[in-house]
Amino acid sequence: MAVTEQDLVVRHVGDDAAPWVDTGIGIDLKVMRVDLKRGTWVIRNRFQPGVQIPKHRHTGPVEGYTLTGRWHYLEYDFVSTAGSYIHEPAGSVHTLHVPEDNTEPTDVLFVIEGALLNLTAEGQIESFTDGQAILDAYLALLDAAGMPRPSGLIVD
Amino acid sequence: MAVTEQDLVVRHVGDDAAPWVDTGIGIDLKVMRVDLKRGTWVIRNRFQPGVQIPKHRHTGPVEGYTLTGRWHYLEYDFVSTAGSYIHEPAGSVHTLHVPEDNTEPTDVLFVIEGALLNLTAEGQIESFTDGQAILDAYLALLDAAGMPRPSGLIVD
Amino acid sequence: MAVTEQDLVVRHVGDDAAPWVDTGIGIDLKVMRVDLKRGTWVIRNRFQPGVQIPKHRHTGPVEGYTLTGRWHYLEYDFVSTAGSYIHEPAGSVHTLHVPEDNTEPTDVLFVIEGALLNLTAEGQIESFTDGQAILDAYLALLDAAGMPRPSGLIVD
Amino acid sequence: MAVTEQDLVVRHVGDDAAPWVDTGIGIDLKVMRVDLKRGTWVIRNRFQPGVQIPKHRHTGPVEGYTLTGRWHYLEYDFVSTAGSYIHEPAGSVHTLHVPEDNTEPTDVLFVIEGALLNLTAEGQIESFTDGQAILDAYLALLDAAGMPRPSGLIVD
């Protein structure tokens, strides 16, 4: 129950401290923070042109900020480009798509609470992705690529 | 975008303002608050002796406070009785059971973030329950019982 | 960065596991959980009849549930009694008062995010109370009363 | 209590939809989202070289992501540059400083929960800044500059 100063300091993850890994489906991933107890995860995704993420439903809210490139949800009219911000409420259902004619990778910062419920075409839950799952996947991909496990990830 | 004073006042739900409904499976339900955008829901459950809730996984944290009775999780050693508090981290998996030899209903206050992923015996996700689903169920049960919809629920 | 099973288990604080301490101002206190990193604290307050808490402003939302007794805010019309629930949005400003003619202690469960900013009559901030402060106060009062520090508090 | 589809859709704020305003102290500000009820605010700050923000304490956690430039806290060793992420726990106390020899503005995205308690040199609370205050300031600065109020801000 002791509270050390160390517990409460600001944590910093430099751009190089969390390396990119290739997930093999046109998406690079880096994980900066996972709060397992609260179910919050902070990641960046770098999407190749033409990538589409299957339709999913969120169990908590999401913050998104686009750093480079261009993407949209099939269900919405807006197109997100560098400097644009999105807020997704809990219960949001959408299909992320990256235009085929993009001329650069699409780099997006996400702060996600809870899980993605991945849906079949019939709307059934096929699987879910949460903070624990994304952390496990990130570490496994680093291992598979022979890359060292980063010391600076923020995992609580 | 205007912010009215009304938006920011404290909201009060008296014990009678949110009536109990019988869910038909040995559990009475009342809903006090649902924050749809954040995915947070505040309810009370009143369990009859012998009730068991199928195993589920939480996508967010849970606060629980027992008002009367006695219950436990099959996966844990503790027994929760009147006055005891629990905190469940995101990712928790458990099976709530109410002892058959209880001599009174077991009344528990829950503050839940995110969804319950209801699991089959093989660990597959069968369905999910979230704030929208519990609100819909509560209102449908009130309607079916011919009870008026309560005016005081906090739904954002 | 290792994640042990222990980190993610449900935590239980029985009614006796967090003893009451007398704060000396007509309020007994017990602390069940403090999440220092998020600034969330879960406590119970047992107010004697006639107690009034100076006006304060909350920096985050609050859940409240009344277990016994009767109380109100000077700024609102509602009276909270056993079984009633309140939700306070961030930015709420109010003065808690317990009627002098109450015939029993008023026992209230609070889940508080962030800090109380304690205000002078002129509306200036005099001091603040947050999760760290309440934990420090609780442990100091236990020490002063010669009571052992409870092993079961949930402090992250 | 009716829940419209509109309430639950993803919200998008393009880079131009929330214009920069000059706060007059070497910091440009844009506000993308304020959740008044929860006390969460999402902003960008563009700092000129040499700017220093007085020491403050946070009542809730903060996410920060640096888009351009370079900054640090006087109390810490790390230097944040483009692509670096920080997480500040509730209770953090620090003094943000932007080096005088920076050759470009320092643009940082912040997601802030709760309030900043601005401290005097003696550690007393001088004032506070929260979501409501930042929204009021942003709108007043837009008005003073003769700029139209943006229609797309996310204010709940």
Side-chain angles (χ1 to χ4, degrees):
Chain A
M1 218 178 61
V3 180
T4 66
E5 285 299 312
Q6 185 59 28
D7 284 336
L8 290 170
V9 293
V10 171
R11 301 288 300 274
H12 174 255
V13 182
D15 196 18
D16 293 337
W20 289 107
V21 293
D22 181 351
T23 65
I25 54 169
I27 307 174
D28 295 331
L29 167 71
K30 68 164 74 187
V31 175
M32 282 91 83
R33 184 168 76 91
V34 181
D35 182 335
L36 293 165
K37 288 184 182 168
R38 273 203 66 78
T40 305
W41 29 308
V42 181
I43 65 169
R44 274 166 66 194
N45 277 147
R46 199 165 55 185
F47 302 99
Q48 293 308 311
V51 162
Q52 184 163 315
I53 299 182
K55 185 183 276 203
H56 55 266
R57 179 185 173 100
H58 286 272
T59 69
V62 176
E63 316 282 328
Y65 185 85
T66 301
L67 299 160
T68 64
R70 195 167 57 123
W71 64 275
H72 68 124
Y73 287 127
L74 296 188
E75 295 81 2
Y76 291 89
D77 287 334
F78 72 81
V79 175
S80 181
T81 55
S84 80
Y85 164 79
I86 57 154
H87 178 70
E88 307 178 5
S92 296
V93 178
H94 42 242
T95 311
L96 189 152
H97 177 251
V98 180
E100 284 76 4
D101 60 354
N102 273 11
T103 56
E104 60 177 349
T106 295
D107 188 347
V108 187
L109 170 72
F110 289 112
V111 180
I112 300 172
E113 291 193 43
L116 279 69
L117 307 182
N118 304 306
L119 304 174
T120 64
E122 292 74 34
Q124 299 301 305
I125 304 172
E126 198 162 46
S127 62
F128 69 94
T129 307
D130 63 6
Q132 179 75 68
I134 207 78
L135 177 63
D136 291 347
Y138 184 55
L139 297 179
L141 288 164
L142 284 166
D143 290 352
M147 299 167 75
R149 292 196 168 194
S151 60
L153 299 196
I154 307 171
V155 179
D156 292 318
Chain B
M1 218 177 63
V3 180
T4 67
E5 285 298 313
Q6 185 59 28
D7 284 336
L8 291 170
V9 293
V10 170
R11 300 289 299 276
H12 173 255
V13 183
D15 196 17
D16 293 337
W20 289 109
V21 293
D22 181 351
T23 65
I25 54 168
I27 307 174
D28 296 331
L29 167 71
K30 66 165 74 188
V31 175
M32 283 91 83
R33 185 168 76 91
V34 181
D35 183 335
L36 294 165
K37 289 184 182 169
R38 274 203 67 78
T40 304
W41 31 308
V42 181
I43 64 168
R44 274 165 66 193
N45 277 148
R46 200 165 54 185
F47 303 100
Q48 295 307 312
V51 163
Q52 184 163 314
I53 298 182
K55 185 183 275 203
H56 55 266
R57 180 186 173 100
H58 286 273
T59 69
V62 176
E63 315 282 328
Y65 184 85
T66 300
L67 299 161
T68 63
R70 195 166 58 122
W71 65 276
H72 68 123
Y73 286 127
L74 296 188
E75 295 82 2
Y76 290 89
D77 287 333
F78 72 81
V79 175
S80 181
T81 55
S84 81
Y85 164 80
I86 56 155
H87 178 69
E88 307 177 7
S92 296
V93 178
H94 43 243
T95 311
L96 188 151
H97 177 252
V98 180
E100 285 75 4
D101 60 353
N102 273 11
T103 55
E104 60 177 349
T106 295
D107 189 347
V108 187
L109 170 73
F110 290 112
V111 180
I112 300 172
E113 292 193 44
L116 279 69
L117 307 181
N118 304 304
L119 304 174
T120 64
E122 292 75 36
Q124 299 302 304
I125 303 173
E126 197 162 44
S127 62
F128 69 95
T129 308
D130 63 5
Q132 179 74 71
I134 207 78
L135 177 62
D136 291 347
Y138 184 55
L139 297 179
L141 288 165
L142 285 166
D143 290 351
M147 300 168 76
R149 292 196 169 194
S151 60
L153 299 196
I154 308 171
V155 179
D156 291 318
Chain C
M1 216 176 61
V3 180
T4 67
E5 286 298 313
Q6 184 60 28
D7 283 338
L8 290 171
V9 293
V10 171
R11 300 288 299 275
H12 173 255
V13 182
D15 196 18
D16 293 337
W20 289 107
V21 292
D22 181 351
T23 65
I25 54 168
I27 307 173
D28 295 331
L29 167 71
K30 69 164 73 187
V31 175
M32 281 92 83
R33 184 168 75 92
V34 181
D35 182 334
L36 295 165
K37 288 183 182 170
R38 274 203 65 80
T40 304
W41 29 308
V42 182
I43 64 169
R44 274 165 66 193
N45 277 148
R46 199 164 57 185
F47 303 100
Q48 293 308 311
V51 163
Q52 184 163 315
I53 299 182
K55 185 182 275 202
H56 56 265
R57 180 186 173 99
H58 286 272
T59 69
V62 176
E63 316 282 328
Y65 185 84
T66 300
L67 298 161
T68 64
R70 195 166 58 123
W71 65 275
H72 68 123
Y73 287 128
L74 297 188
E75 295 81 3
Y76 291 89
D77 287 334
F78 71 81
V79 175
S80 182
T81 54
S84 80
Y85 164 79
I86 57 156
H87 178 70
E88 308 178 5
S92 296
V93 177
H94 43 243
T95 311
L96 188 152
H97 178 252
V98 180
E100 286 75 4
D101 60 354
N102 273 11
T103 55
E104 61 177 348
T106 295
D107 189 348
V108 187
L109 170 73
F110 289 113
V111 180
I112 299 172
E113 292 193 43
L116 279 70
L117 308 182
N118 304 306
L119 304 174
T120 65
E122 292 74 36
Q124 299 301 305
I125 304 172
E126 200 162 43
S127 62
F128 69 95
T129 307
D130 63 5
Q132 179 75 70
I134 208 77
L135 177 63
D136 291 347
Y138 184 56
L139 297 179
L141 288 164
L142 284 166
D143 290 351
M147 299 168 76
R149 292 195 168 195
S151 61
L153 300 196
I154 308 172
V155 179
D156 292 317
Chain D
M1 217 176 63
V3 179
T4 66
E5 286 298 312
Q6 185 61 28
D7 285 335
L8 290 171
V9 293
V10 170
R11 301 289 299 277
H12 174 255
V13 182
D15 196 18
D16 293 338
W20 289 107
V21 293
D22 181 350
T23 65
I25 54 168
I27 307 174
D28 295 331
L29 167 71
K30 66 164 73 189
V31 175
M32 281 91 82
R33 184 168 75 93
V34 181
D35 182 335
L36 294 165
K37 288 184 183 169
R38 274 202 64 80
T40 304
W41 30 307
V42 181
I43 64 169
R44 275 166 64 193
N45 277 148
R46 199 165 56 186
F47 303 100
Q48 293 307 312
V51 163
Q52 183 163 315
I53 298 182
K55 184 183 276 201
H56 56 266
R57 178 185 174 99
H58 286 272
T59 69
V62 176
E63 315 283 327
Y65 184 85
T66 300
L67 299 160
T68 63
R70 194 167 57 123
W71 65 276
H72 68 124
Y73 286 128
L74 297 188
E75 295 81 3
Y76 290 88
D77 288 334
F78 71 81
V79 176
S80 180
T81 55
S84 81
Y85 164 79
I86 57 156
H87 178 70
E88 307 178 6
S92 296
V93 178
H94 42 243
T95 310
L96 188 151
H97 178 252
V98 180
E100 286 75 4
D101 61 353
N102 272 12
T103 55
E104 60 177 351
T106 295
D107 190 347
V108 187
L109 170 72
F110 289 112
V111 180
I112 300 172
E113 291 193 43
L116 279 70
L117 307 182
N118 304 305
L119 304 174
T120 65
E122 292 74 37
Q124 299 302 304
I125 304 172
E126 197 161 46
S127 63
F128 69 94
T129 307
D130 63 6
Q132 179 75 71
I134 209 75
L135 178 62
D136 291 347
Y138 183 56
L139 296 179
L141 289 165
L142 285 166
D143 290 351
M147 299 167 75
R149 291 195 169 195
S151 60
L153 300 196
I154 307 171
V155 179
D156 292 318

